[in-house]
Amino acid sequence: MEKILSGQDISFDDLSLEEKKRFHRAVAYGELSKMIKPWDPWWSKPSARKIRLSKEGTQLVQPLPEQELQDDTGSNESSDIPLGPETPLPPLSRLSSKEPSPLLTVHLVDILYSYCFTLRLYNGDWRSDPLGSVMVVLSVSSVLGQGGQPETVLEALSHSLEQVCSPTYRHMGGLQFGLGVIDDVMSLLSLGSTALVCALCDMHRLIQEGGKEAKSEKPRKLRRDEIRSTIKLAERKIYFIMCWVHEQPEEAWSSLAAIVGAEKTSAMEFQWSNKAEKLNNKAETKGKSLIEEI
């Protein structure tokens, strides 16, 4: 209490044993979530439709120095939009002599899903825990975390939904929440190339910052070499697909968004059919039990 009154920050260790128990209880029952202001995704804001990048893919407006940003007390919606690349994006021919895989559209969906889910999980602030954010990305994305090669949008989304419904992330809302993240992916795709480049650039920074933290982790706490290698590969993949996105025609994204929407509808229909089947099975079981009793 003395620390609070004097304006000092308090940590978990400052709490008494009883206070720690009450804190853990509040976390378990989701009581603390009521105290957190819900995050409004940057891709849902009107300013996201006004993003402009140069022909080389770089941001047209340089960010203000940190001091100027701190002095500016007015709200600036555009400041929520992730900055684009600081250096020109090279042509794909310079990154690889091979033709780009036709499956890159599928891999993009997988990567965007993990990005949107991670930001949702961290209430938009991945910088609060870069390494933790990276680990979420790697666990949700089969392309980045397992070197997976999904061949259809359905396959990519199915893997992501499985992870979101796992015990690790089920507290976020399970399947319903996972289906909502698909809407986030569709929103990003509908914004076009510039927004996609900014999103991938933000994700690239996330991976880089997480990689820096992974280097400082002690081996007993983290399989450091293995994780660092996976993070490095993920960083390269994201950069490559960002350059690929930059070269694609705008009409490609509306078509991909439509495919993602169709697969979401299929997933929802499958979900309801499963529920109906379970209800029918329960009804049949009760009916049989009643007949046996009679």
Side-chain angles (χ1 to χ4, degrees):
M1 184 61 71
E2 290 179 2
K3 281 191 173 184
I4 296 176
L5 292 174
S6 62
Q8 297 181 47
D9 293 331
I10 62 171
S11 67
F12 184 72
D13 294 329
D14 293 323
L15 302 178
S16 65
L17 181 60
E18 181 59 29
E19 287 171 334
K20 288 179 179 178
K21 288 181 179 178
R22 282 157 53 190
F23 176 81
H24 283 302
R25 197 177 300 121
V27 171
Y29 285 98
E31 294 174 8
L32 296 183
S33 62
K34 301 173 185 176
M35 303 170 63
I36 302 174
K37 182 181 179 182
W39 176 63
D40 191 14
W42 64 262
W43 51 81
S44 67
K45 299 181 178 180
S47 56
R49 297 192 173 277
K50 302 175 183 177
I51 302 173
R52 296 291 180 270
L53 299 176
S54 69
K55 290 183 179 180
E56 294 77 25
T58 55
Q59 56 196 36
L60 290 175
V61 180
Q62 293 298 320
L64 290 172
E66 187 175 346
Q67 186 60 43
E68 291 185 42
L69 287 173
Q70 291 175 351
D71 293 341
D72 182 14
T73 55
S75 62
N76 185 2
E77 191 181 276
S78 62
S79 65
D80 296 332
I81 308 298
L83 295 173
E86 297 179 4
T87 56
L89 296 176
L92 283 178
S93 57
R94 192 184 302 174
L95 299 177
S96 175
S97 58
K98 299 180 181 178
E99 283 294 315
S101 169
L103 297 178
L104 286 182
T105 52
V106 176
H107 297 180
L108 175 64
V109 171
D110 170 278
I111 291 171
L112 289 178
Y113 189 99
S114 67
Y115 171 73
C116 294
F117 176 78
T118 302
L119 261 62
R120 288 281 186 185
L121 183 65
Y122 282 90
N123 215 39
D125 185 20
W126 62 259
R127 294 181 186 278
S128 63
D129 183 11
L131 182 55
S133 297
V134 168
M135 300 309 292
V136 173
V137 166
L138 297 181
S139 65
V140 174
S141 169
S142 67
V143 172
L144 300 178
Q146 303 172 16
Q149 299 288 323
E151 297 183 358
T152 65
V153 170
L154 178 60
E155 184 182 347
L157 292 177
S158 296
H159 176 273
S160 297
L161 289 172
E162 284 177 14
Q163 303 311 307
V164 172
C165 293
S166 69
T168 306
Y169 303 119
R170 195 180 297 154
H171 67 280
M172 288 294 291
L175 182 59
Q176 289 305 314
F177 182 85
L179 292 172
V181 176
I182 297 179
D183 290 333
D184 290 328
V185 174
M186 292 166 61
S187 295
L188 267 175
L189 289 170
S190 69
L191 292 173
S193 297
T194 53
L196 290 173
V197 167
C198 287
L200 291 167
C201 190
D202 189 37
M203 197 173 186
H204 192 251
R205 294 188 188 102
L206 183 162
I207 298 292
Q208 287 181 322
E209 291 301 315
K212 290 177 184 177
E213 283 199 3
K215 290 180 181 179
S216 62
E217 284 288 328
K218 295 180 180 179
R220 67 172 180 273
K221 289 186 177 180
L222 191 66
R223 303 189 309 276
R224 190 166 61 179
D225 292 340
E226 181 182 344
I227 294 298
R228 283 173 61 183
S229 176
T230 304
I231 290 175
K232 200 66 183 176
L233 283 173
E235 185 182 332
R236 291 175 183 170
K237 286 180 181 178
I238 292 172
Y239 186 75
F240 181 86
I241 207 161
M242 178 166 59
C243 295
W244 172 79
V245 164
H246 179 241
E247 292 188 3
Q248 302 311 301
E250 283 294 333
E251 55 269 21
W253 311 127
S254 57
S255 300
L256 183 55
I259 294 173
V260 173
E263 295 299 0
K264 180 196 173 185
T265 301
S266 298
M268 291 176 69
E269 290 174 351
F270 179 73
Q271 177 195 9
W272 286 113
S273 65
N274 274 358
K275 282 186 176 180
E277 186 177 346
K278 288 180 180 178
L279 288 173
N280 288 334
N281 289 338
K282 284 184 179 179
E284 288 177 9
T285 302
K286 287 183 179 179
K288 288 179 180 177
S289 299
L290 184 60
I291 292 171
E292 288 173 0
E293 288 177 8
I294 294 174

